[in-house]
Amino acid sequence: MTDKRKLSRETKLAQALGWLESSHKGVIPGIYPSTTYEREADGNYPSGRIYSRDQNPNYDQPEQVLCDLEGGSDALLFSSGMSAALAVVQALRPGDHMIAPSVMYWSLRNWLKTVGTEWGIDISFVENGNLDALKEAVVPGKTKLFWMETPANPTWEVDDISAWAEVARAAGAHLAVDSTVATPCITRPIEHGAHIVMHSATKYLNGHSDVLAGALITAEEDDFWGRVKVNRNAGGAVLGPFESWLLLRGMRTLAIRVERASVNAMAIARHFDGHDGIKAVLYPGLEGHKGHDIALKQMSSGFGGMLSLRINGGEKRAMAVAARLELFKRATSLGGVESLVEHRASIEGEGTHCPPDLLRLSVGIESPDDLIADIEQALKETN
Ligand code: PLP
């Protein structure tokens, strides 16, 4: 008999762990819209479910798949990546200190700097890649959470998860990693010592730009995780049953989509590295990227589908290039099967760390030759 624990990631994903739908043995789960479950005359709930705010059966399979993929002990789905991230931050108590990198997903950074701080969470931002600054930022007895994102939006800095985990453990704190861009097909942060992995499942996990979702996976079901669970259960930032069903459907093709997007991104990165229209290609897969050595250590099966191009000629030309792209759609977000382009500095606005000449590309699964030709024609027309 097959030892299911030894099956490859691709097999587990394609079969979503091989679960069968309980009533009819369907290979695809049903959609369970009921918000409430019957209680027996004796007061028990034989189904083990009371109310669907966070007990909907449609969460079970995607959560189990994520747990398995990340090597965790428990997983939770949320209504968005942001609500997943906030469930972790809000597990802190007023007066607790947390550390986050200066380059990270813009909206979360903004929330931390504004609402998070007003709520009494003390936050230090440290330069990505600077381990000395990380150690110096620790406030003994107060630092309870390290938040990292790798590769980090939108310049794709790569931070060393095991080095951060060591500092976090020495401080008696938790390390949470936003691994949205790497996906569990490329990096498994728990293997490198992280306590919690976070995903904007809106991106690669779902992969089709049609579901907003988030996920957390924990290495251990400890007290901190207990507080995160209360935040979901009481806060109710949960995914609807149909969205959970769609997410599982998307996750079945995760491995193949991530593999293709990585191959395409690498082809684009190599083609435009040293190109006369391009000032710099920011992609962890390139030998010249400053995080390449760490990337080799903690990323496998490719370097992901996200890269940025810094355009020669500054902001004006970068905007003009984006305007002339035809296959890359000008839209925010990432991780879908279709390629997107975004001028991040103008989206992030005041206080952005993003260079004004930078175009962020979310590389999809189209033909790499078509994508390269699209960028070439846009550069040529703006020359
Ligand atoms: N983390 C990263 C790296 C992201 O790119 C995003 C969204 O763009 C988020 C978190 C937030 O996710 P969501 O939009 O699902 O709330």
Side-chain angles (χ1 to χ4, degrees):
M1 181 133 174
T2 316
D3 180 351
K4 295 214 167 113
R5 285 164 309 176
K6 290 197 180 141
L7 290 173
S8 70
R9 179 175 61 222
E10 288 76 6
T11 305
K12 287 177 176 174
L13 274 167
Q15 302 203 353
L17 298 179
W19 287 23
L20 293 176
E21 181 267 320
S22 51
S23 318
H24 310 289
K25 299 246 172 231
V27 296
I28 300 299
I31 300 173
Y32 302 100
S34 185
T35 52
T36 192
Y37 308 93
E38 195 186 32
R39 191 172 188 181
E40 289 292 280
D42 65 5
N44 283 322
Y45 283 93
S47 70
R49 298 175 203 270
I50 299 174
Y51 187 56
S52 85
R53 188 162 59 229
D54 78 345
Q55 293 180 339
N56 188 286
N58 282 105
Y59 307 152
D60 299 356
Q61 198 171 355
E63 286 180 350
Q64 196 54 52
V65 173
L66 284 170
C67 219
D68 191 278
L69 279 181
E70 292 286 8
S73 65
D74 196 17
L76 295 172
L77 291 186
F78 286 82
S79 57
S80 69
M82 275 299 280
S83 59
L86 295 194
V88 175
V89 177
Q90 290 172 343
L92 294 171
R93 295 180 168 87
D96 283 350
H97 175 246
M98 75 173 272
I99 301 177
S102 24
V103 177
M104 63 181 285
Y105 175 56
W106 178 245
S107 291
L108 180 56
R109 186 169 185 272
N110 258 358
W111 187 95
L112 293 173
K113 283 177 80 173
T114 53
V115 187
T117 310
E118 283 163 18
W119 274 21
I121 300 166
D122 184 18
I123 305 169
S124 302
F125 290 96
V126 299
E127 189 193 358
N128 300 62
N130 187 340
L131 272 180
D132 291 333
L134 184 73
K135 289 178 196 157
E136 277 164 29
V138 173
V139 183
K142 289 256 176 210
T143 306
K144 294 289 185 310
L145 178 66
F146 288 65
W147 184 272
M148 73 188 295
E149 178 182 321
T150 180
N153 250 304
T155 43
W156 316 117
E157 327 275 333
V158 180
D159 270 300
D160 189 332
I161 302 172
S162 50
W164 275 58
E166 210 179 299
V167 182
R169 274 175 209 275
H174 281 74
L175 170 64
V177 181
D178 181 343
S179 196
T180 299
V181 167
T183 82
C185 297
I186 292 180
T187 302
R188 291 177 15 124
I190 290 173
E191 273 178 4
H192 300 278
H195 296 87
I196 294 177
V197 184
M198 176 250 152
H199 290 282
S200 165
T202 315
K203 318 298 184 201
Y204 290 98
L205 294 182
N206 179 60
H208 294 78
S209 309
D210 53 9
V211 171
L212 198 71
L216 296 175
I217 302 95
T218 188
E220 281 169 51
E221 294 185 69
D222 55 12
D223 290 350
F224 189 79
W225 183 249
R227 291 170 66 79
V228 172
K229 282 179 92 154
V230 169
N231 286 342
R232 182 179 80 157
N233 173 283
V238 292
L239 205 55
F242 181 53
E243 286 75 13
S244 310
W245 185 92
L246 272 177
L247 173 60
L248 185 70
R249 173 182 159 141
M251 277 163 51
R252 286 171 182 263
T253 54
L254 178 69
I256 198 158
R257 286 187 284 102
V258 169
E259 190 182 312
R260 176 62 183 247
S262 296
V263 167
N264 284 359
M266 184 60 113
I268 294 173
R270 289 225 186 282
H271 182 91
F272 289 103
D273 194 24
H275 189 286
D276 59 10
I278 301 295
K279 187 166 158 193
V281 179
L282 308 180
Y283 186 60
L286 290 180
E287 292 76 8
H289 186 277
K290 67 177 181 206
H292 183 65
D293 288 345
I294 302 167
L296 284 177
K297 200 173 77 165
Q298 68 191 28
M299 300 178 86
S300 58
S301 325
F303 298 92
M306 295 305 299
L307 78 143
S308 294
L309 299 178
R310 294 190 62 183
I311 309 294
N312 266 335
E315 176 166 14
K316 212 165 150 221
R317 185 162 180 225
M319 290 295 258
V321 169
R324 278 168 182 78
L325 288 168
E326 290 172 14
L327 294 179
F328 283 86
K329 300 286 177 279
R330 288 174 297 281
T332 197
S333 201
L334 56 102
V337 290
E338 64 289 309
S339 293
L340 304 179
V341 60
E342 187 167 47
H343 183 257
R344 278 306 289 179
S346 55
I347 284 290
E348 294 185 1
E350 207 181 311
T352 179
H353 288 267
C354 183
D357 56 10
L358 180 146
L359 292 180
R360 184 183 85 174
L361 304 182
S362 170
V363 180
I365 63 168
E366 305 93 333
S367 142
D369 295 345
D370 289 345
L371 297 175
I372 288 170
D374 194 31
I375 302 170
E376 279 286 8
Q377 64 79 22
L379 285 170
K380 206 163 149 201
E381 282 184 27
T382 52
N383 216 343

